[in-house]
Amino acid sequence: MNRNTPGFSLPKSPSGIKGLDEITEGGLPTGRPTLICGSAGSGKTLFSMEFLVHGAMEFGEPGVFVAFEEKTDELALNVASLGFDLEKLQAEKLIKLDHVQVERSEIEETGEYDLDGLFIRLGYAIDSIGAKRVVLDTIESLFSGLTNLAILRAELRRLFEWLKEKGVTTILTGEQGEGTLTRQGLEEYVSDCVIALDHRIVNKISTRLLRIVKYRGSVHGTNEYPFLIDAEGISILPVTSLTLWHEVSNARISSGIDSLDKMLGGEGFFKGGSVLVSGTAGTGKTNIAATFVDAACLRGERCLYFAFEESPQQIIRNMKSIGMNLREHVDAGLLRFQAARPTMHGLEMHLVAIHKEVLKFQPEVMVLDPITNLITVGSVSEVKSMLIRLIDFLQSRGVTVMFTALSLVENFSEQTVENVSSLVDAWLLVRDIEANGERNRGMYVMKSRGMKHSNQIREFVISDEGLELVDVYLGPEGVLTGSARQAQQLLEKTGAVLHDHAVSRKDREIERKKKVLESKIASLKEEFDSVQEELNKTYIEEQLKKEVIEKNRKEMAKNRGNKG
């Protein structure tokens, strides 16, 4: 298929290097030469070796490594620390190492100079293991004695054409020149893909960066990408792949403080969101972060804690004072600490390290404590740029992250020192409240996107039983906290007791009066019944008298009738 044909896709060989295949959208051009250039110590040889080893072990493509400077046994020893067993791979005919020593005295600058000897030797190595990948390290050694640019260009083109005819995907490494990517300044023009590695020292801090200078026939990332070299090899962070099209969750996650959850609508933060806890020194920011992590671990969620100020042992010890046992979460494998001074790496390296740890540990909750310390290795704008990419990456993976930040001024504004408060989903502000000769803490929910939240200040109390937010008291002189609040509570409690006592006394008096009144009513009723009974008695006697008289009268009348 012609490359101009619609739908044409350039064949690519995956490198297996973390992040590189995403930047190159598939890997290096198959069957074509790629130039890896950079200064000494930038990682060219390691980059090339990883390409070969991953190809042999993961993609079924054996490879040949031709070294013009290092001997094969030295090369095998140097990469053994990364877990690459080159001797075993050679025994299995997956990798072939060859050291070619080029002496300047043997190179005569004549029109008959050519690389036929190298082609024969390299061709045999390729055919002996059926290699699909080749590395030539470094290209300068082949042409170190040549000054005729015409011959040099011709031999370079012939070398590249020969490699293409063999159908091998090739990496050539080159030392950086003055003002050019390579010493000769020609290799970058005849290579199909050029990758520049840079090792910078800024403010005594080391940072490694990768840039794809060109890639014929393919779209690719064009930024400078930070990369990390550690015990597992090279890791690259493809920052341009981070977009704002990630999914969001409506699920909620508890802060670990019940009273704070109530201030956030009763359910806590959104899962997969970002939270900023800012405040002056000693306001309890680390305590809040640790409580958040502790609650997540108790739910069985995996947590990653990046500490830039205290060691893990310090944090675990200090949290015991508030009734929290983080050690059991570490032992259970739910909590992992990563502690380092920010000055250990540059900002980009910190970003790569965090990115790598997240991919490895797969946490659901993460803490960075405090992000303010990152300003020691970068400007405010650089820290903000780094945190923007970090937040986007974590949100794309559904990780809930909490940042702590030290506020350096008392006059709090909408922006914190790190200038990132506008980036986060929720912002908690903890500040000192000084009154009555003591210092207390107050917490505000400055913002919480997408949920109902309290606009009131709460007193933030740290005790040996944990963290709690209590209602502040409004007295004649304003907001009352600490001992003033306790005194007001005691006063109100005393008033309530006195009130209850007064009410009880009145109730007893009423009860007594009621009994007296009931007694009087009973006496009057008894008197009434007595009078009524007396009246009834007189009435009954009159009736009986009338009945007796009437009876006598009738008897007398009856007696007179009988006599007559």
Side-chain angles (χ1 to χ4, degrees):
M1 180 184 291
N2 188 287
R3 70 167 57 189
N4 296 321
T5 304
F8 171 81
S9 178
L10 184 70
K12 297 182 179 181
S13 298
S15 67
I17 298 174
K18 297 176 182 176
L20 180 64
D21 294 338
E22 189 172 355
I23 297 170
T24 57
E25 297 193 4
L28 303 184
T30 300
R32 299 186 180 192
T34 295
L35 173 65
I36 308 296
C37 55
S39 58
S42 59
K44 303 183 295 298
T45 300
L46 177 60
F47 188 102
S48 306
M49 184 59 73
E50 279 211 49
F51 176 75
L52 276 193
V53 172
H54 288 305
M57 297 181 64
E58 299 174 22
F59 308 112
E61 296 186 358
V64 173
F65 192 104
V66 178
F68 298 110
E69 293 180 350
E70 290 184 273
K71 294 182 178 179
T72 56
D73 54 345
E74 294 176 348
L75 186 64
L77 185 63
N78 291 341
V79 299
S81 61
L82 302 177
F84 297 160
D85 190 346
L86 296 186
E87 293 184 1
K88 179 181 178 182
L89 291 174
Q90 287 187 88
E92 296 174 351
K93 293 188 176 182
L94 293 175
I95 294 288
K96 185 172 182 60
L97 303 181
D98 193 5
H99 175 247
V100 177
Q101 187 172 359
V102 180
E103 295 291 343
R104 290 190 178 186
S105 59
E106 297 177 359
I107 299 177
E108 295 182 0
E109 202 170 325
T110 66
E112 297 178 354
Y113 172 82
D114 58 44
L115 298 174
D116 287 343
L118 175 64
F119 294 162
I120 294 173
R121 188 165 179 173
L122 185 56
Y124 172 77
I126 293 173
D127 295 337
S128 64
I129 63 170
K132 300 294 183 182
R133 303 185 180 199
V134 171
V135 171
L136 301 179
D137 182 39
T138 63
I139 193 68
E140 284 84 10
S141 298
L142 279 176
F143 308 107
S144 58
L146 288 177
T147 57
N148 188 317
L149 294 182
I151 296 177
L152 179 59
R153 183 182 290 272
E155 288 302 303
L156 274 175
R157 288 190 178 278
R158 199 159 73 92
L159 172 62
F160 283 18
E161 288 298 326
W162 184 87
L163 291 169
K164 288 182 180 180
E165 289 177 3
K166 294 294 290 184
V168 292
T169 305
T170 307
I171 284 182
L172 302 99
T173 66
E175 293 290 339
Q176 185 176 351
E178 295 182 4
T180 58
L181 292 175
T182 56
R183 289 181 183 175
Q184 282 81 18
L186 297 176
E187 297 92 325
E188 57 261 39
Y189 295 103
V190 294
S191 299
D192 288 81
C193 178
V194 178
I195 298 176
L197 306 182
D198 191 7
H199 188 194
R200 299 177 188 172
I201 305 295
V202 180
N203 295 328
K204 300 180 181 179
I205 297 173
S206 169
T207 301
R208 299 180 186 272
L209 297 169
L210 175 148
R211 179 170 66 94
I212 300 178
V213 179
K214 77 173 184 180
Y215 199 138
R216 288 175 181 161
S218 174
V219 295
H220 56 85
T222 57
N223 291 346
E224 286 188 320
Y225 303 92
F227 70 94
L228 177 67
I229 298 178
D230 60 11
E232 298 179 0
I234 294 177
S235 300
I236 305 170
L237 177 58
V239 295
T240 55
S241 66
L242 305 178
T243 65
L244 291 175
W245 294 104
H246 51 263
E247 297 292 331
V248 296
S249 172
N250 290 320
R252 303 283 278 273
I253 180 172
S254 173
S255 65
I257 308 172
D258 292 338
S259 45
L260 176 56
D261 290 343
K262 291 179 181 178
M263 294 181 69
L264 299 168
E267 299 179 81
F269 308 112
F270 278 121
K271 187 176 179 61
S274 53
V275 183
L276 173 65
V277 181
S278 64
T280 52
T283 49
K285 302 179 294 297
T286 299
N287 291 336
I288 295 173
T291 301
F292 180 54
V293 164
D294 180 59
C297 290
L298 290 174
R299 294 192 299 268
E301 299 173 3
R302 297 165 69 85
C303 302
L304 192 56
Y305 196 118
F306 285 90
F308 298 130
E309 201 168 60
E310 297 178 275
S311 69
Q313 291 75 19
Q314 282 180 295
I315 295 174
I316 292 172
R317 180 202 64 189
N318 295 343
M319 291 308 107
K320 288 182 179 179
S321 65
I322 59 174
M324 191 184 307
N325 187 358
L326 296 181
R327 171 60 62 186
E328 63 181 8
H329 302 318
V330 174
D331 295 340
L334 292 174
L335 175 59
R336 176 179 294 182
F337 282 96
Q338 293 293 329
R341 292 292 183 187
T343 51
M344 183 175 180
H345 301 297
L347 287 176
E348 300 295 349
M349 296 293 280
H350 278 297
L351 186 60
V352 174
I354 293 171
H355 185 278
K356 186 174 181 179
E357 285 298 324
V358 170
L359 293 178
K360 183 190 301 181
F361 190 61
Q362 299 290 327
E364 297 173 77
V365 169
M366 196 173 88
V367 166
L368 269 72
D369 176 37
I371 57 175
T372 322
N373 285 23
L374 295 174
I375 295 180
T376 59
V377 292
S379 65
V380 172
S381 60
E382 290 172 337
V383 173
K384 181 177 181 179
S385 175
M386 175 246 192
L387 292 176
I388 287 174
R389 286 178 282 167
L390 177 60
I391 290 173
D392 288 343
F393 167 67
L394 294 176
Q395 287 183 340
S396 69
R397 301 189 64 83
V399 179
T400 309
V401 59
M402 177 177 285
F403 304 105
T404 69
L406 175 66
S407 298
L408 303 180
V409 292
E410 276 292 341
N411 184 20
F412 297 104
S413 64
E414 189 174 344
Q415 297 293 325
T416 64
V417 176
E418 308 73 37
N419 204 22
V420 296
S421 58
S422 61
L423 304 176
V424 296
D425 299 310
W427 180 16
L428 307 179
L429 175 61
V430 187
R431 60 168 300 177
D432 292 326
I433 302 176
E434 295 185 8
N436 298 324
E438 62 183 21
R439 181 175 69 91
N440 297 295
R441 304 173 181 90
M443 180 182 287
Y444 307 79
V445 178
M446 300 298 287
K447 77 172 185 178
S448 190
R449 291 173 179 162
M451 68 177 70
K452 180 181 178 181
H453 57 277
S454 173
N455 65 345
Q456 297 180 344
I457 182 176
R458 293 288 189 276
E459 184 178 354
F460 178 43
V461 179
I462 302 176
S463 69
D464 55 2
E465 296 180 356
L467 310 183
E468 184 182 4
L469 299 179
V470 298
D471 292 335
V472 296
Y473 275 71
L474 294 177
E477 299 179 357
V479 175
L480 302 179
T481 61
S483 60
R485 171 180 54 79
Q486 294 174 354
Q488 179 67 21
Q489 289 176 322
L490 181 60
L491 181 61
E492 292 184 1
K493 184 177 180 180
T494 303
V497 171
L498 293 175
H499 175 73
D500 292 343
H501 178 71
V503 170
S504 177
R505 186 180 62 186
K506 289 180 180 179
D507 288 342
R508 290 195 300 271
E509 184 66 24
I510 291 173
E511 186 66 25
R512 284 196 298 268
K513 289 183 177 182
K514 179 181 177 182
K515 289 181 178 178
V516 171
L517 182 58
E518 287 177 349
S519 178
K520 288 182 178 181
I521 291 173
S523 177
L524 290 173
K525 187 175 183 302
E526 186 177 350
E527 183 179 352
F528 173 77
D529 291 340
S530 178
V531 172
Q532 186 179 32
E533 185 178 352
E534 187 65 30
L535 290 175
N536 287 338
K537 178 181 178 183
T538 304
Y539 174 78
I540 292 172
E541 287 178 351
E542 288 293 330
Q543 286 294 114
L544 289 174
K545 188 184 289 184
K546 286 182 181 180
E547 290 179 359
V548 170
I549 292 173
E550 182 64 27
K551 184 177 180 181
N552 289 338
R553 187 184 63 77
K554 289 181 178 181
E555 287 290 335
M556 291 176 64
K558 181 177 178 182
N559 291 334
R560 281 198 299 268
N562 292 331
K563 288 179 178 182

